[in-house]
Amino acid sequence: MSTSSPDRPAVDPAEANAQAWALAGAWGTGDRMTEVEALMWRSERHPRRSATISVLMMLDTAPDWDRLRAAHDWVTRLVPRTRKRVLEPAVPVGPPAWVTDPAFDLDYHLRRVSLPGPGGMAQVLAFAQAAAMTPFDRTRPLWEGTLIEGLPDGRAAYFLKLHHSLTDGPGGVRLVSLIQSRHREHTHDKPVAPPRPSEPRPDPRWLAVEEVTEQVLTLPSAAGRLLAAGARVLAHPESAAASALRFAGSLRRTTAPWSVPGSPLFRGRTGKAWRFGVLECPLADLRAAAEAAGGSLNDAFAAALLGGMRRYHERHGAELAEMSMTMPVSLHKSDDPMGGHEWAGATFAAPVGLADPEERIATLRGIGLTLRVEPALDGLSVVVPVLNRVPSAVRAAVGRLPTAADLSASTFPGAPGETYLAGAKVERAYPFGPLPGAAVMAAMVSQAGTCGLGLTIDGSVVSDPQVLVECVREGLKEVLALAPDVAGA
């Protein structure tokens, strides 16, 4: 029997259960990593090639610890992969397996700390960047959550970090939404995950045998596709050659614009010293600014970042016309299951030298529309299976190759309305991505009408991260000024 308050209608437990499972979808039900997950797992070289993504939530009060713990226990039962660890086959002929951790300990993954006074934002960020730089225990499930107490006026924060092989950014946002609630009061009728049959503990030797068996079984169909492709090439050699050249050109344009010389300030980066910075702005204002310039929200975000990069370089006596920049292009569909890695990375020459923010947005809009129709946009899916099957020394060598992009950026939508974490209101959310060889990684997520920007900065080449954050703040301000309401204020 469910109860309700006057402003909160009763919820049918069966309907709520169906909605929760629809959100979780098929994520976590597969017993093997995908090719992209496997590459992130096997090629990680912490911290320069870290695969840690995280989010910092600022709360109006300290949440109830028992409720917070119960919420995490519920989510880990709803989404099985949060209780699974990675098991490598004895011979790495295929992807690793996700196996239930028989020694899963919620109290290891969910922690609480209290900062010494005054416990301001600088101390919170210092804790968060140190926690993000700490490698995961690769023998346990790949997530850790920490409640941070000791902030002024009884406030608190919550920091969640996830391994990128566990989920991508949008999947991480959806996972966080399961921990949160739309109401401050306790939810008494949350759906209960059905009992799952116990899983046998797999033997790494059998994982290799299974993979080899699967590959042998698929050889006939693969050989058939290869023969059919060969026949088409022989029948139309000129067309096949032209297609190959178009794909090669597209792959070059979407992966590594080597013609861009790169920032002289960001050379020699090591990724061994992460520094976090945060910014925020009204979502409506940033969207209005984008529309005023004929661009998208992503275009306005990128234009603000580039405006900040231009200012930072000018302060250090360096001028750049272009900067190599990477942004993922989401391939997610509305009916995709939770989690997954439905995206394609695109690296391009970004117009950092354009002083006019409206012109920057228009230029970025054109670049984005062009990239979306590139044949090789999802070229990663062709390369990843090969990299997963080469020796680890080769993958490590690939990981040491210079990264084309000086700047990496990513955006994803968050909660449209107010959310609560075990009774505490989530006032701000700031996402932080890893440094995939870049000097600066910028991520943005919306929370109840406010955009939270998280900057991960490579301190090995940026000795004054606060100056860089301030420059990006000025770049954001000039973009927001394009919005009619802001400009007239």
Side-chain angles (χ1 to χ4, degrees), residues 132-422:
M133 286 193 67
T134 303
F136 281 100
D137 181 344
R138 291 167 73 92
T139 67
R140 296 176 182 266
L142 301 174
W143 67 273
E144 294 172 9
T146 304
L147 172 62
I148 306 170
E149 298 176 293
L151 275 63
D153 303 321
R155 296 176 181 272
Y158 173 80
F159 184 69
L160 176 66
K161 73 172 192 174
L162 307 157
H163 197 282
H164 215 329
S165 63
L166 185 66
T167 184
D168 59 8
V173 171
R174 296 171 74 180
L175 180 63
V176 168
S177 72
L178 291 175
I179 305 173
Q180 298 175 348
S181 170
R182 294 183 180 180
H183 308 276
R184 194 182 290 272
E185 64 270 22
H186 178 59
T187 302
H188 296 280
D189 47 12
K190 294 176 70 172
V192 179
R196 300 181 182 275
S198 59
E199 299 178 358
R201 298 183 64 176
D203 188 320
R205 295 169 296 181
W206 283 111
L207 291 179
V209 172
E210 289 177 1
E211 180 64 23
V212 170
T213 301
E214 290 176 9
Q215 294 190 16
V216 169
L217 292 175
T218 58
L219 277 177
S221 60
R225 291 194 299 270
L226 182 62
L227 289 173
R232 288 194 297 270
V233 170
L234 292 175
H236 306 283
E238 297 86 357
S239 175
S243 296
L245 288 174
R246 284 195 299 271
F247 185 84
S250 176
L251 190 63
R252 176 181 57 80
R253 290 190 297 271
T254 57
T255 56
W258 300 110
S259 60
V260 181
S263 165
L265 304 180
F266 296 158
R267 292 172 185 165
R269 50 189 180 262
T270 66
K272 293 183 178 180
W274 291 11
R275 299 292 181 264
F276 281 178
V278 296
L279 300 164
E280 61 189 60
C281 70
L283 172 61
D285 290 353
L286 188 59
R287 181 175 285 125
E291 293 176 353
S296 67
L297 188 69
N298 282 359
D299 299 328
F301 170 58
L305 295 175
L306 293 174
M309 292 296 106
R310 180 177 59 82
R311 284 174 168 78
Y312 182 77
H313 281 74
E314 288 177 349
R315 290 197 185 188
H316 290 79
E319 292 187 7
L320 286 178
E322 295 179 324
M323 169 180 282
S324 54
M325 181 176 183
T326 296
M327 289 192 76
V329 178
S330 176
L331 303 177
H332 272 279
K333 298 185 292 292
S334 59
D335 57 348
D336 281 341
M338 182 177 171
H341 291 83
E342 302 299 327
W343 52 268
T347 303
F348 56 94
V352 68
L354 291 179
D356 184 347
E358 188 170 2
E359 187 177 356
R360 273 202 310 277
I361 292 176
T363 302
L364 287 165
R365 184 61 172 168
I367 292 174
L369 293 174
T370 300
L371 288 173
R372 286 186 175 276
V373 297
E374 287 283 5
L377 181 60
D378 195 21
L380 189 66
S381 62
V382 179
V383 179
V384 168
V386 178
L387 290 177
N388 277 333
R389 285 158 180 80
V390 300
S392 58
V394 176
R395 287 195 302 272
V398 172
R400 288 192 293 269
L401 291 175
T403 300
D406 289 322
L407 173 65
S408 182
S410 183
T411 66
F412 27 86
E418 293 183 349
T419 58
Y420 298 85
L421 186 67

Side-chain angles (χ1 to χ4, degrees), residues 30-178:
D31 60 356
R32 301 296 286 270
M33 278 188 170
T34 66
E35 296 288 357
V36 173
E37 291 168 352
L39 183 65
M40 290 179 174
W41 171 255
R42 288 174 172 166
S43 63
E44 181 178 36
R45 298 294 182 271
H46 198 86
R48 176 174 171 80
R49 296 285 175 177
S50 170
T52 298
I53 59 177
S54 53
V55 61
L56 174 67
M57 288 179 275
M58 305 304 297
L59 312 174
D60 71 340
T61 186
D64 180 271
W65 175 252
D66 290 337
R67 283 178 57 184
L68 185 65
R69 190 181 185 283
H72 283 74
D73 181 70
W74 177 77
V75 170
T76 61
R77 296 181 187 280
L78 186 68
V79 182
R81 188 158 294 178
T82 56
R83 287 182 174 240
K84 292 185 176 183
R85 63 182 183 89
V86 179
L87 179 65
E88 283 278 8
V91 181
V93 292
W98 293 103
V99 298
T100 299
D101 183 4
F104 176 77
D105 181 6
L106 182 61
D107 293 319
Y108 171 85
H109 294 275
L110 180 62
R111 311 162 185 185
R112 63 194 304 185
V113 299
S114 182
L115 298 180
M121 192 64 183
Q123 286 179 279
V124 173
L125 291 177
F127 171 86
Q129 67 195 24
M133 286 193 67
T134 303
F136 281 100
D137 181 344
R138 291 167 73 92
T139 67
R140 296 176 182 266
L142 301 174
W143 67 273
E144 294 172 9
T146 304
L147 172 62
I148 306 170
E149 298 176 293
L151 275 63
D153 303 321
R155 296 176 181 272
Y158 173 80
F159 184 69
L160 176 66
K161 73 172 192 174
L162 307 157
H163 197 282
H164 215 329
S165 63
L166 185 66
T167 184
D168 59 8
V173 171
R174 296 171 74 180
L175 180 63
V176 168
S177 72
L178 291 175

